[in-house]
Amino acid sequence: MGFKVDTFTANNDTAKFHDAIAQAMDNGYDGVVLSHGDDPATVEDVKKLQDKGISVVAFDSVPELANVEGVTVTSQDDETLAKLALDRLVEEQGPDANIVYLWVDGFPPMVRRNAVYQETLKNNPGIKEVERFGVVSSDTSVDTQNAVAAMLTKHPKGEIDAIYATWDAFAIGAARALIEAGRTEIKIYGIDVSNSDLEIMQKPDSPWVATAAVDPKTIGAVNVRLLAKKNSGREDPFHPQSGSNADRQGQPG
Protein backbone atom coordinates (compact mmCIF):
# COMPACT_ATOMS: atom_id res chain seq x y z
CA MET A 1 0.00 0.00 0.00
CA GLY A 2 3.03 2.28 0.02
CA PHE A 3 2.94 2.92 3.75
CA LYS A 4 6.05 3.69 5.74
CA VAL A 5 5.72 1.69 8.95
CA ASP A 6 7.49 1.97 12.28
CA THR A 7 6.96 -0.79 14.85
CA PHE A 8 7.21 -0.33 18.60
CA THR A 9 7.32 -3.33 20.93
CA ALA A 10 6.58 -2.90 24.63
CA ASN A 11 7.37 -6.48 25.78
CA ASN A 12 4.51 -6.39 28.28
CA ASP A 13 5.87 -3.19 29.85
CA THR A 14 2.95 -0.80 30.37
CA ALA A 15 5.19 2.27 30.63
CA LYS A 16 6.89 1.45 27.31
CA PHE A 17 3.50 0.90 25.70
CA HIS A 18 2.23 4.35 26.64
CA ASP A 19 5.57 5.92 25.77
CA ALA A 20 5.26 4.49 22.25
CA ILE A 21 1.81 6.03 21.91
CA ALA A 22 3.22 9.37 23.08
CA GLN A 23 5.88 9.14 20.38
CA ALA A 24 3.18 8.55 17.79
CA MET A 25 1.43 11.73 18.94
CA ASP A 26 4.56 13.83 18.55
CA ASN A 27 6.20 12.37 15.44
CA GLY A 28 3.66 13.12 12.75
CA TYR A 29 2.17 9.68 12.13
CA ASP A 30 -1.02 9.47 10.06
CA GLY A 31 -2.35 6.35 11.74
CA VAL A 32 -1.73 3.89 14.54
CA VAL A 33 -2.57 0.22 14.95
CA LEU A 34 -2.60 -0.67 18.65
CA SER A 35 -2.35 -4.22 19.96
CA HIS A 36 -3.42 -5.26 23.45
CA GLY A 37 -4.16 -1.91 25.03
CA ASP A 38 -5.46 -3.28 28.29
CA ASP A 39 -5.84 -0.39 30.75
CA PRO A 40 -7.99 2.76 31.12
CA ALA A 41 -5.00 4.94 30.22
CA THR A 42 -5.13 3.46 26.72
CA VAL A 43 -8.57 5.01 26.21
CA GLU A 44 -7.26 8.45 27.20
CA ASP A 45 -4.23 8.04 24.93
CA VAL A 46 -6.40 7.09 21.98
CA LYS A 47 -8.62 10.12 22.53
CA LYS A 48 -5.50 12.29 22.34
CA LEU A 49 -4.44 10.58 19.11
CA GLN A 50 -7.87 11.22 17.63
CA ASP A 51 -7.75 14.86 18.72
CA LYS A 52 -4.53 15.23 16.71
CA GLY A 53 -6.17 13.75 13.63
CA ILE A 54 -4.34 10.42 13.89
CA SER A 55 -6.47 7.43 12.83
CA VAL A 56 -6.60 4.48 15.21
CA VAL A 57 -7.45 0.79 14.89
CA ALA A 58 -7.09 -1.28 18.07
CA PHE A 59 -6.72 -5.05 18.23
CA ASP A 60 -7.56 -7.13 21.32
CA SER A 61 -7.84 -4.04 23.49
CA VAL A 62 -10.20 -2.77 26.17
CA PRO A 63 -13.77 -2.71 24.80
CA GLU A 64 -14.24 0.89 25.98
CA LEU A 65 -12.18 1.99 22.98
CA ALA A 66 -15.14 1.14 20.76
CA ASN A 67 -16.95 4.09 22.38
CA VAL A 68 -14.32 6.55 21.15
CA GLU A 69 -15.60 8.25 18.00
CA GLY A 70 -13.87 6.98 14.87
CA VAL A 71 -11.93 4.14 16.51
CA THR A 72 -12.39 0.55 15.33
CA VAL A 73 -11.69 -2.31 17.75
CA THR A 74 -11.06 -5.80 16.35
CA SER A 75 -10.45 -9.11 18.05
CA GLN A 76 -10.13 -12.80 17.50
CA ASP A 77 -13.12 -15.00 18.30
CA ASP A 78 -11.62 -15.90 21.67
CA GLU A 79 -14.68 -17.83 22.77
CA THR A 80 -14.45 -20.19 19.80
CA LEU A 81 -10.69 -20.60 20.22
CA ALA A 82 -11.15 -21.51 23.88
CA LYS A 83 -13.96 -23.95 23.10
CA LEU A 84 -11.97 -25.70 20.38
CA ALA A 85 -9.02 -26.28 22.71
CA LEU A 86 -11.13 -27.29 25.70
CA ASP A 87 -13.35 -29.62 23.68
CA ARG A 88 -10.23 -31.45 22.46
CA LEU A 89 -8.90 -31.65 26.03
CA VAL A 90 -12.13 -33.17 27.33
CA GLU A 91 -12.37 -35.52 24.35
CA GLU A 92 -8.84 -36.89 24.83
CA GLN A 93 -8.42 -36.68 28.60
CA GLY A 94 -11.97 -37.42 29.65
CA PRO A 95 -14.56 -35.54 31.75
CA ASP A 96 -12.74 -36.42 34.98
CA ALA A 97 -9.31 -35.09 34.07
CA ASN A 98 -6.99 -33.39 36.53
CA ILE A 99 -5.74 -30.21 34.90
CA VAL A 100 -3.50 -27.20 35.44
CA TYR A 101 -4.87 -23.87 34.24
CA LEU A 102 -2.36 -21.30 32.92
CA TRP A 103 -4.16 -17.96 32.80
CA VAL A 104 -3.88 -14.37 34.00
CA ASP A 105 -6.65 -11.85 34.54
CA GLY A 106 -6.84 -8.31 33.23
CA PHE A 107 -6.28 -8.86 29.49
CA PRO A 108 -9.44 -8.74 27.33
CA PRO A 109 -8.64 -11.96 25.39
CA MET A 110 -7.91 -13.79 28.65
CA VAL A 111 -11.17 -12.60 30.17
CA ARG A 112 -13.13 -13.93 27.20
CA ARG A 113 -11.26 -17.24 27.19
CA ASN A 114 -11.77 -17.63 30.93
CA ALA A 115 -15.54 -17.31 30.55
CA VAL A 116 -15.55 -20.36 28.27
CA TYR A 117 -13.26 -22.23 30.65
CA GLN A 118 -15.64 -21.62 33.55
CA GLU A 119 -18.56 -22.83 31.43
CA THR A 120 -16.60 -25.98 30.55
CA LEU A 121 -15.97 -26.70 34.23
CA LYS A 122 -19.67 -26.21 34.92
CA ASN A 123 -20.60 -28.66 32.17
CA ASN A 124 -17.95 -31.18 33.28
CA PRO A 125 -18.09 -31.24 37.10
CA GLY A 126 -15.69 -34.18 37.20
CA ILE A 127 -12.77 -32.06 35.95
CA LYS A 128 -10.46 -31.07 38.79
CA GLU A 129 -8.33 -27.94 38.61
CA VAL A 130 -5.14 -28.96 40.39
CA GLU A 131 -3.27 -25.66 39.99
CA ARG A 132 -3.95 -22.23 38.52
CA PHE A 133 -1.36 -19.54 37.84
CA GLY A 134 -0.01 -17.19 35.20
CA VAL A 135 3.13 -15.13 34.73
CA VAL A 136 3.19 -12.17 32.32
CA SER A 137 6.56 -10.47 32.06
CA SER A 138 9.19 -9.35 29.58
CA ASP A 139 10.09 -13.06 29.25
CA THR A 140 6.83 -14.87 29.89
CA SER A 141 7.93 -18.20 28.43
CA VAL A 142 11.00 -18.50 30.66
CA ASP A 143 9.12 -17.39 33.76
CA THR A 144 6.33 -19.85 32.98
CA GLN A 145 8.87 -22.61 32.46
CA ASN A 146 10.31 -21.96 35.91
CA ALA A 147 6.87 -21.82 37.50
CA VAL A 148 5.76 -25.09 35.89
CA ALA A 149 9.04 -26.79 36.83
CA ALA A 150 8.50 -25.78 40.46
CA MET A 151 4.91 -27.01 40.33
CA LEU A 152 5.94 -30.43 39.03
CA THR A 153 7.97 -31.08 42.18
CA LYS A 154 4.71 -31.00 44.14
CA HIS A 155 2.79 -33.39 41.91
CA PRO A 156 4.20 -36.85 41.09
CA LYS A 157 3.19 -38.79 38.00
CA GLY A 158 -0.50 -39.60 37.92
CA GLU A 159 -1.71 -36.44 39.61
CA ILE A 160 -1.94 -34.24 36.49
CA ASP A 161 -3.40 -35.27 33.14
CA ALA A 162 -3.20 -32.03 31.18
CA ILE A 163 -2.31 -28.35 31.10
CA TYR A 164 -4.69 -25.85 29.54
CA ALA A 165 -2.68 -22.80 28.40
CA THR A 166 -4.68 -19.74 27.38
CA TRP A 167 -1.70 -18.21 25.54
CA ASP A 168 1.05 -19.83 23.50
CA ALA A 169 3.73 -18.04 25.55
CA PHE A 170 2.44 -20.06 28.51
CA ALA A 171 2.42 -23.26 26.47
CA ILE A 172 6.00 -22.77 25.27
CA GLY A 173 7.29 -22.48 28.83
CA ALA A 174 5.16 -25.39 30.02
CA ALA A 175 6.35 -27.64 27.20
CA ARG A 176 10.01 -26.91 27.95
CA ALA A 177 9.47 -27.65 31.64
CA LEU A 178 7.68 -30.94 30.95
CA ILE A 179 10.34 -32.09 28.48
CA GLU A 180 13.22 -31.22 30.82
CA ALA A 181 11.52 -32.96 33.75
CA GLY A 182 10.67 -36.07 31.73
CA ARG A 183 6.98 -35.49 32.42
CA THR A 184 5.62 -35.67 28.90
CA GLU A 185 2.76 -37.86 30.10
CA ILE A 186 1.13 -34.50 30.88
CA LYS A 187 -0.42 -33.10 27.70
CA ILE A 188 -0.75 -29.41 26.77
CA TYR A 189 -3.77 -27.87 25.06
CA GLY A 190 -3.27 -24.26 24.06
CA ILE A 191 -4.42 -21.19 22.17
CA ASP A 192 -2.43 -19.21 19.55
CA VAL A 193 0.38 -20.42 17.33
CA SER A 194 3.66 -19.43 15.68
CA ASN A 195 6.32 -21.22 13.64
CA SER A 196 8.39 -21.86 16.77
CA ASP A 197 5.30 -23.29 18.48
CA LEU A 198 4.80 -25.72 15.60
CA GLU A 199 8.42 -26.84 15.87
CA ILE A 200 7.85 -27.77 19.52
CA MET A 201 4.58 -29.54 18.74
CA GLN A 202 6.16 -31.60 15.95
CA LYS A 203 8.97 -32.97 18.09
CA PRO A 204 8.73 -36.71 18.86
CA ASP A 205 6.76 -37.29 22.08
CA SER A 206 6.01 -33.56 22.44
CA PRO A 207 3.60 -32.94 25.32
CA TRP A 208 2.00 -30.06 23.39
CA VAL A 209 -0.65 -31.96 21.45
CA ALA A 210 -3.14 -29.31 20.31
CA THR A 211 -3.61 -25.58 19.88
CA ALA A 212 -6.43 -23.45 18.49
CA ALA A 213 -5.49 -20.41 16.45
CA VAL A 214 -6.22 -18.07 13.59
CA ASP A 215 -3.68 -16.96 10.99
CA PRO A 216 -1.96 -13.97 12.64
CA LYS A 217 -1.15 -12.52 9.22
CA THR A 218 -4.89 -12.14 8.63
CA ILE A 219 -5.19 -10.11 11.83
CA GLY A 220 -2.48 -7.74 10.64
CA ALA A 221 -3.94 -7.46 7.15
CA VAL A 222 -7.45 -6.67 8.38
CA ASN A 223 -6.27 -3.97 10.77
CA VAL A 224 -4.00 -2.31 8.22
CA ARG A 225 -6.75 -2.30 5.58
CA LEU A 226 -9.12 -0.69 8.08
CA LEU A 227 -6.52 1.99 8.78
CA ALA A 228 -6.05 2.54 5.05
CA LYS A 229 -9.78 3.15 4.66
CA LYS A 230 -9.75 5.71 7.44
CA ASN A 231 -6.76 7.56 5.99
CA SER A 232 -8.28 7.63 2.51
CA GLY A 233 -11.36 9.39 3.86
CA ARG A 234 -13.58 6.34 3.54
CA GLU A 235 -15.38 4.94 6.56
CA ASP A 236 -14.40 1.41 7.48
CA PRO A 237 -17.14 -1.22 7.09
CA PHE A 238 -17.61 -1.65 10.85
CA HIS A 239 -19.01 1.83 11.45
CA PRO A 240 -22.55 2.92 10.54
CA GLN A 241 -21.35 5.16 7.69
CA SER A 242 -19.80 2.20 5.88
CA GLY A 243 -19.12 1.90 2.18
CA SER A 244 -20.55 -0.71 -0.15
CA ASN A 245 -20.41 -4.44 0.50
CA ALA A 246 -17.47 -4.60 -1.90
CA ASP A 247 -15.48 -2.65 0.69
CA ARG A 248 -15.94 -5.36 3.31
CA GLN A 249 -12.54 -6.95 2.92
CA GLY A 250 -12.12 -8.33 6.41
CA GLN A 251 -14.08 -9.21 9.50
CA PRO A 252 -12.74 -8.78 13.01
CA GLY A 253 -12.53 -12.18 14.60
Side-chain angles (χ1 to χ4, degrees):
M1 293 183 176
F3 292 169
K4 178 182 177 182
V5 179
D6 292 326
T7 302
F8 299 87
T9 302
N11 287 326
N12 297 310
D13 185 317
T14 300
K16 287 183 179 179
F17 180 78
H18 292 291
D19 181 63
I21 298 175
Q23 291 183 56
M25 292 182 200
D26 298 333
N27 290 341
Y29 290 101
D30 299 303
V32 172
V33 176
L34 291 179
S35 179
H36 295 83
D38 54 30
D39 61 359
T42 300
V43 179
E44 298 308 312
D45 283 349
V46 167
K47 289 179 180 178
K48 293 175 183 177
L49 289 170
Q50 291 285 92
D51 289 343
K52 288 204 169 191
I54 300 171
S55 304
V56 178
V57 177
F59 169 68
D60 261 357
S61 297
V62 287
E64 290 80 8
L65 283 177
N67 298 324
V68 180
E69 181 66 27
V71 174
T72 304
V73 179
T74 67
S75 69
Q76 302 177 82
D77 186 344
D78 291 291
E79 291 84 359
T80 297
L81 292 172
K83 189 174 187 307
L84 285 168
L86 285 164
D87 284 353
R88 177 63 65 88
L89 187 156
V90 173
E91 176 187 341
E92 295 184 354
Q93 302 299 324
D96 299 314
N98 295 329
I99 67 173
V100 172
Y101 184 37
L102 301 185
W103 173 80
V104 65
D105 201 358
F107 297 88
M110 298 292 188
V111 172
R112 294 189 289 266
R113 294 169 188 184
N114 182 63
V116 177
Y117 173 73
Q118 298 302 330
E119 184 68 19
T120 300
L121 292 184
K122 180 180 177 181
N123 294 335
N124 296 274
I127 291 179
K128 179 182 178 183
E129 184 184 284
V130 178
E131 297 267 4
R132 173 194 296 215
F133 55 89
V135 183
V136 175
S137 67
S138 60
D139 203 341
T140 296
S141 296
V142 171
D143 289 338
T144 301
Q145 179 179 351
N146 293 335
V148 171
M151 177 205 69
L152 292 174
T153 64
K154 299 187 296 180
H155 299 284
K157 287 187 177 182
E159 289 192 4
I160 299 172
D161 298 307
I163 292 175
Y164 174 50
T166 52
W167 181 21
D168 64 333
F170 294 155
I172 291 169
R176 291 172 180 165
L178 293 178
I179 292 169
E180 286 190 4
R183 296 292 300 276
T184 55
E185 83 281 359
I186 299 172
K187 305 305 179 185
I188 299 171
Y189 298 82
I191 297 177
D192 300 329
V193 75
S194 68
N195 288 339
S196 58
D197 297 350
L198 292 173
E199 287 180 11
I200 296 173
M201 295 182 71
Q202 291 168 351
K203 289 182 177 179
D205 300 321
S206 173
W208 191 353
V209 295
T211 197
V214 301
D215 183 349
K217 290 186 294 184
T218 300
I219 295 170
V222 167
N223 284 280
V224 170
R225 287 202 295 259
L226 289 171
L227 196 66
K229 283 180 176 291
K230 293 176 184 295
N231 285 350
S232 66
R234 300 162 65 195
E235 290 291 340
D236 71 67
F238 307 117
H239 280 143
Q241 312 94 314
S242 63
S244 68
N245 287 336
D247 293 329
R248 297 174 181 268
Q249 299 185 43
Q251 293 287 345

